[in-house]
Coordinates of all heavy atoms in Angstrom, one line a residue:
Y117 N 138.7 -4.1 -323.3 CA 139.1 -4.2 -321.9 C 140.6 -4.7 -322.1 O 140.8 -5.8 -322.4 CB 138.3 -5.2 -321.2 CG 138.5 -5.1 -319.7 CD1 138.1 -3.9 -319.0 CD2 139.0 -6.2 -319.0 CE1 138.3 -3.8 -317.6 CE2 139.2 -6.1 -317.6 CZ 138.8 -4.9 -316.9 OH 139.0 -4.8 -315.6
W151 N 137.5 2.5 -327.8 CA 137.6 3.0 -326.5 C 138.3 2.0 -325.6 O 137.9 0.8 -325.6 CB 136.2 3.3 -325.9 CG 136.1 3.1 -324.4 CD1 137.0 3.4 -323.4 CD2 134.9 2.6 -323.7 NE1 136.5 3.1 -322.2 CE2 135.3 2.6 -322.3 CE3 133.7 2.2 -324.1 CZ2 134.4 2.1 -321.4 CZ3 132.8 1.7 -323.1 CH2 133.1 1.7 -321.8
D162 N 141.3 -1.9 -308.6 CA 140.1 -2.0 -309.4 C 140.5 -2.1 -310.9 O 139.9 -1.5 -311.7 CB 139.2 -0.8 -309.1 CG 137.8 -0.9 -309.8 OD1 137.4 -2.1 -310.1 OD2 137.2 0.1 -309.9
Y165 N 141.0 1.3 -312.7 CA 140.1 2.4 -312.3 C 140.6 3.0 -311.0 O 139.9 3.8 -310.5 CB 138.7 1.9 -312.3 CG 138.1 1.8 -313.7 CD1 138.1 0.5 -314.3 CD2 137.7 2.8 -314.5 CE1 137.6 0.3 -315.6 CE2 137.2 2.7 -315.8 CZ 137.2 1.4 -316.3 OH 136.7 1.3 -317.6
D166 N 141.8 2.7 -310.6 CA 142.4 3.3 -309.4 C 143.7 3.9 -310.0 O 144.7 3.2 -310.0 CB 142.7 2.3 -308.3 CG 143.3 1.0 -308.7 OD1 143.0 0.5 -309.8 OD2 144.1 0.4 -308.0
D200 N 139.9 6.2 -321.6 CA 139.1 6.2 -320.4 C 139.7 7.2 -319.4 O 140.9 7.2 -319.2 CB 139.1 4.8 -319.8 CG 137.8 4.4 -319.1 OD1 137.3 5.3 -318.4 OD2 137.3 3.3 -319.3
V202 N 139.3 8.9 -315.5 CA 138.6 8.6 -314.2 C 138.7 9.8 -313.3 O 139.6 9.9 -312.5 CB 139.4 7.3 -313.6 CG1 138.5 6.8 -312.4 CG2 139.6 6.2 -314.6
H205 N 137.8 9.7 -308.7 CA 138.7 9.2 -307.7 C 140.0 8.9 -308.3 O 140.1 8.6 -309.4 CB 138.1 8.0 -307.0 CG 137.5 7.0 -308.0 ND1 136.2 7.0 -308.3 CD2 138.1 6.0 -308.7 CE1 136.0 6.1 -309.2 NE2 137.1 5.5 -309.5
F247 N 130.9 -0.7 -303.8 CA 131.3 -2.0 -303.6 C 131.0 -2.6 -302.2 O 131.6 -3.6 -301.8 CB 132.8 -2.1 -303.9 CG 133.2 -1.8 -305.3 CD1 134.4 -1.0 -305.5 CD2 132.5 -2.2 -306.4 CE1 134.8 -0.7 -306.8 CE2 132.8 -1.8 -307.7 CZ 134.0 -1.1 -307.9
F266 N 133.9 4.3 -304.1 CA 134.2 2.9 -304.5 C 135.1 2.2 -303.5 O 134.8 2.3 -302.3 CB 134.7 3.0 -306.0 CG 133.7 3.5 -306.9 CD1 133.4 4.9 -307.1 CD2 132.8 2.6 -307.6 CE1 132.4 5.3 -307.9 CE2 131.8 3.0 -308.4 CZ 131.6 4.4 -308.6
Q270 N 140.3 3.9 -303.4 CA 139.9 4.8 -304.5 C 139.3 6.1 -303.9 O 138.1 6.3 -304.0 CB 138.9 4.2 -305.5 CG 139.5 3.1 -306.3 CD 138.4 2.3 -307.1 OE1 137.6 1.7 -306.5 NE2 138.5 2.3 -308.4
R300 N 136.0 8.7 -322.5 CA 134.9 8.1 -321.8 C 135.1 8.5 -320.3 O 136.1 8.1 -319.8 CB 134.8 6.6 -322.0 CG 133.8 5.8 -321.3 CD 134.3 5.3 -320.0 NE 133.5 4.3 -319.3 CZ 133.7 3.9 -318.1 NH1 134.7 4.3 -317.4 NH2 132.9 3.0 -317.6
D302 N 134.6 8.2 -316.6 CA 134.2 7.2 -315.6 C 133.3 7.8 -314.6 O 133.7 8.8 -314.0 CB 135.5 6.6 -315.0 CG 135.1 5.4 -314.1 OD1 134.8 4.3 -314.6 OD2 135.3 5.6 -312.8
V303 N 132.2 7.2 -314.3 CA 131.2 7.7 -313.3 C 131.3 9.2 -313.0 O 131.3 9.7 -311.9 CB 131.3 6.9 -311.9 CG1 130.9 5.5 -312.0 CG2 132.7 7.0 -311.3
E365 N 130.0 8.2 -318.5 CA 129.4 7.0 -317.9 C 128.5 7.4 -316.8 O 128.9 7.8 -315.8 CB 130.5 6.1 -317.4 CG 130.0 4.7 -317.0 CD 130.6 4.1 -315.8 OE1 131.2 4.8 -315.0 OE2 130.4 2.9 -315.6
Y367 N 125.0 6.2 -314.8 CA 123.8 5.3 -314.5 C 122.8 6.1 -313.7 O 122.9 6.2 -312.5 CB 124.3 4.1 -313.7 CG 125.0 3.0 -314.5 CD1 126.4 3.1 -314.6 CD2 124.4 2.0 -315.1 CE1 127.1 2.1 -315.4 CE2 125.0 1.0 -315.8 CZ 126.4 1.1 -316.0 OH 127.1 0.1 -316.7
N425 N 129.3 -4.1 -321.3 CA 130.6 -3.5 -321.0 C 131.2 -4.4 -319.9 O 130.6 -5.4 -319.5 CB 130.4 -2.0 -320.5 CG 129.5 -1.8 -319.4 OD1 129.5 -2.6 -318.4 ND2 128.7 -0.8 -319.4
H426 N 132.3 -4.0 -319.4 CA 133.1 -4.8 -318.4 C 132.4 -4.8 -317.0 O 132.9 -5.5 -316.2 CB 134.5 -4.2 -318.3 CG 134.5 -2.8 -317.8 ND1 133.9 -1.8 -318.5 CD2 135.0 -2.3 -316.7 CE1 134.1 -0.7 -317.8 NE2 134.8 -1.0 -316.7
D427 N 131.4 -4.1 -316.8 CA 130.7 -4.1 -315.5 C 129.4 -4.9 -315.5 O 128.8 -5.1 -314.5 CB 130.4 -2.6 -315.1 CG 131.6 -1.8 -314.9 OD1 132.6 -2.3 -314.4 OD2 131.5 -0.6 -315.2
R487 N 132.6 -9.2 -311.3 CA 132.5 -8.8 -312.7 C 133.5 -9.6 -313.6 O 133.6 -9.3 -314.8 CB 132.7 -7.3 -312.9 CG 131.6 -6.5 -312.2 CD 132.0 -5.0 -312.0 NE 133.2 -4.9 -311.2 CZ 133.8 -3.7 -310.9 NH1 133.3 -2.6 -311.5 NH2 134.8 -3.6 -310.1
R491 N 134.7 -10.5 -318.3 CA 136.1 -9.9 -318.6 C 137.1 -10.9 -319.1 O 138.3 -10.6 -319.0 CB 136.6 -9.2 -317.3 CG 135.7 -8.1 -316.9 CD 136.2 -7.4 -315.6 NE 135.5 -6.2 -315.2 CZ 135.7 -5.5 -314.2 NH1 136.6 -5.8 -313.3 NH2 134.9 -4.4 -314.0
Ligands
NOJ709 C1 132.9 2.4 -313.5 C2 133.9 1.5 -314.2 O1 133.3 1.1 -315.4 C3 134.1 0.3 -313.2 O2 134.7 -0.8 -313.8 C4 134.8 0.8 -312.0 O3 134.9 -0.2 -311.0 C5 134.1 2.0 -311.4 N1 133.6 2.9 -312.3 C6 135.0 2.8 -310.5 O4 135.9 3.5 -311.2

Side-chain angles (χ1 to χ4, degrees):
Y117 194 64
W151 147 37
D162 189 19
Y165 285 96
D166 46 327
D200 210 314
V202 190
H205 44 266
F247 297 140
F266 293 83
Q270 290 169 301
R300 173 266 191 190
D302 186 72
V303 291
E365 190 216 15
Y367 284 90
N425 61 41
H426 62 297
D427 294 326
R487 296 167 294 178
R491 296 177 174 180

